[in-house]
Amino acid sequence: MRTQVVIVGAGPSGLLLGQLLSVHGIANVILEQRSPEYVLDRIRAGVIEKWAADLLDDAGAGARMHREGLVHQGIEISFDGRRHRVDFDALVGKSVIVYGQAEITRDLMEARAAVGAETYYEIADVSLQLDQPGRSSVRYGRHGRVQEIQCDFIAGCDGFHGISRKSIPEHVLNCYERVYPFGWLGILVDQPPVSPELIYVNHERGFALCSMRSPTRSRLYLQCRLDDHIEDWPDARFYEELSRRLDPHAVGALHRGASIEKSIAPLRSFVAEPMRYGNLFLAGDAAHIVPPTGAKGLNLAASDVYYLWQALLEYYRERSAAGLEAYSSQALRRVWKAERFSWWMTSILHCFPESSGFDQKMQRAELEYLLSSRAAMTALAENYVGLPY
Ligand code: APR
Ligand code: PHB
């Protein structure tokens, strides 16, 4: 079997790249180790930058997002028990769309089915053959048999734990990492949001976030310890702790419904450089991870996909490899800016167990400056709505 691009992984990166390529006449096959149901069940952040929304439109998969997504023109930051609004519209004239990542995945799956492109789910033992310049292939197990696809290029869209990054020789890769000393305990609940916009909370007991998926579904988070277990957090304890961290007005609006999902996620910053090895191109979580503060994960995956899609179009239309040569450095410039923003948002909003008195004073000064300076708020807004591609 032969195709132009083999995409490993059917998460948002792989599906979006596949759809953009298919719509522009470039043949591709997606290989995914899990089932479609498993992929759809993963719960992740749901804030979409305008750039990522435009890309979904380019892929022909944006209609439902525009219909059902919630346009947010700001966020609130709660500090010292008071809420402060960051008005994106007034500061930078832009907004974001709140729309769950699982919904985006579903829309992309449907769009892919509509164009008749192939996705092989529940495949096993993917291995990449990268040794020969100009000739690549991917082997995998399907229905108990080993299969092989020849291709021009491989897109490694298989997330942080995938095999694509691990297929690059160690001496070629430089990895940069920070693991944070806390996690996020999140619940999903079928109750209206506490407030029309997201509330990011700095509190001495730890960070909290009131987010949402729709006018009737809330997503709520608490900073927790890395050794916490969800069994130790029945809903009543979750709501009690959240109420301690929220301002009285938000507590009054908190509906304590039964959670329909509960999980703990660790926080990590990670970047692997370069994002290309021969004919293999990494995109999304395969190459980098951001802590969720600022909701940049999906949006960064989208900008990688944009650069890679443009480079592949240039290659097939103009027979020029210039875009492919530039891919890694171009994508990484934007990756590091989003890494910086996510790290900074994390650092100003969380309680760090090891922090000294000086560190705590610095955090207070940072927040007091931010919330009293239009220039500083503009910088936050500019990054939150997304830096241009
Ligand atoms: N073979 C085939 N598929 C694999 C393999 C493998 N060896 N390893 C992992 N996968 C699949 C996973 O099952 C998953 O469906 O690759 C997919 C990777 O998807 P994500 O982890 O969602 O990564 P990505 O598509 O880059 O998404 C980026 O989604 O995970 C969030 O925070 C992330 O918001 C960001 C965005
Ligand atoms: C979410 O809704 O899950 C969410 C929103 C904003 C974030 C992180 C997560 O910064």
Side-chain angles (χ1 to χ4, degrees):
M1 194 161 127
R2 209 197 133 74
T3 189
Q4 288 173 304
V5 182
V6 169
I7 300 170
V8 186
S13 307
L15 287 167
L16 181 58
L17 178 64
Q19 196 56 19
L20 289 164
L21 294 177
S22 295
V23 167
H24 291 81
I26 299 174
N28 62 92
V29 171
I30 301 185
L31 303 176
E32 165 62 51
Q33 68 179 3
R34 304 287 191 166
S35 66
E37 297 73 34
Y38 182 96
V39 172
L40 281 172
D41 262 2
R42 286 189 296 231
I43 297 183
R44 267 100 180 244
V47 178
I48 318 294
E49 297 173 356
K50 184 187 168 297
W51 313 104
D54 288 349
L55 210 51
L56 277 162
D57 287 335
D58 288 335
R64 195 162 67 96
M65 170 187 67
H66 290 297
R67 255 191 343 264
E68 296 176 15
L70 309 171
V71 174
H72 280 206
Q73 293 181 331
I75 53 168
E76 293 192 286
I77 294 184
S78 172
F79 172 56
D80 270 350
R82 274 191 49 221
R83 272 194 257 163
H84 307 257
R85 181 153 191 263
V86 184
D87 186 335
F88 302 152
D89 194 34
L91 293 166
V92 291
K94 295 202 174 64
S95 53
V96 291
I97 302 180
V98 171
Y99 186 62
Q101 195 167 305
E103 304 310 316
I104 290 182
T105 308
R106 187 186 306 281
D107 296 343
L108 284 166
M109 280 178 174
E110 281 174 12
R112 185 164 179 87
V115 298
E118 295 278 16
T119 310
Y120 299 142
Y121 285 97
E122 297 180 271
I123 50 107
D125 304 327
V126 172
S127 67
L128 314 183
Q129 275 64 53
L130 300 166
D131 315 335
Q132 306 216 18
R135 275 198 19 230
S136 305
S137 66
V138 180
R139 275 190 212 132
Y140 58 97
R142 188 161 182 240
H143 305 317
R145 288 184 35 217
V146 177
Q147 320 246 7
E148 182 164 332
I149 314 184
Q150 313 276 334
C151 58
D152 301 329
F153 301 106
I154 301 169
C157 299
D158 49 353
F160 184 65
H161 300 288
I163 47 93
S164 296
R165 188 182 68 254
K166 292 174 194 146
S167 307
I168 301 178
E170 248 172 58
H171 69 271
V172 174
L173 270 191
N174 287 307
C175 295
Y176 303 86
E177 183 171 52
R178 165 149 308 175
V179 177
Y180 298 87
F182 40 73
W184 278 19
L185 167 65
I187 67 166
L188 197 61
V189 53
D190 275 327
Q191 291 290 340
V194 166
S195 178
E197 292 179 339
L198 273 60
I199 311 175
Y200 288 83
V201 183
N202 170 293
H203 191 274
E204 61 190 18
R205 296 181 64 88
F207 169 78
L209 170 62
C210 297
S211 180
M212 66 196 73
R213 289 290 174 271
S214 74
T216 55
R217 182 170 282 190
S218 297
R219 180 78 171 143
L220 304 166
Y221 295 99
L222 288 176
Q223 175 181 347
C224 66
R225 293 161 51 104
L226 278 176
D227 57 5
D228 266 325
H229 298 283
I230 50 172
E231 305 82 65
D232 301 328
W233 283 93
D235 291 351
R237 180 176 175 208
F238 183 97
Y239 286 120
E240 189 192 314
E241 183 58 34
L242 181 61
S243 303
R244 287 170 144 176
R245 300 184 192 183
L246 294 180
D247 64 276
H249 194 254
V251 174
L254 180 64
H255 300 272
R256 296 162 198 245
S259 63
I260 53 173
E261 194 266 353
K262 187 180 285 165
S263 54
I264 292 180
L267 272 71
R268 180 197 302 269
S269 299
F270 174 87
V271 181
E273 295 186 346
M275 289 169 61
R276 172 194 189 175
Y277 176 68
N279 292 334
L280 167 66
F281 295 83
L282 302 179
D285 278 18
H288 41 72
I289 296 287
V290 284
T293 336
K296 287 288 168 234
L298 173 74
N299 294 300
L300 258 197
S303 59
D304 292 351
V305 164
Y306 172 80
Y307 296 130
L308 186 52
W309 166 55
Q310 290 291 308
L312 289 166
L313 270 187
E314 191 179 308
Y315 177 83
Y316 285 111
R317 287 193 175 159
E318 298 161 32
R319 287 281 145 197
S320 161
L324 292 172
E325 297 294 342
Y327 170 70
S328 176
S329 53
Q330 193 175 29
L332 282 165
R333 270 196 295 279
R334 193 169 189 278
V335 166
W336 277 113
K337 288 180 196 147
E339 290 283 347
R340 184 205 70 81
F341 177 65
S342 310
W343 159 83
W344 173 77
M345 284 280 278
T346 304
S347 74
I348 62 166
L349 292 171
H350 291 76
C351 281
F352 286 73
E354 305 285 296
S355 72
S356 64
F358 181 83
D359 296 335
Q360 288 165 22
K361 289 284 186 192
M362 282 299 111
Q363 193 189 61
R364 283 197 71 80
E366 181 90 37
L367 277 159
E368 280 174 13
Y369 169 62
L370 169 68
L371 299 172
S372 63
S373 157
R374 188 177 169 95
M377 288 243 227
T378 305
L380 190 163
E382 180 181 43
N383 282 275
Y384 198 100
V385 302
L387 298 175
Y389 286 6

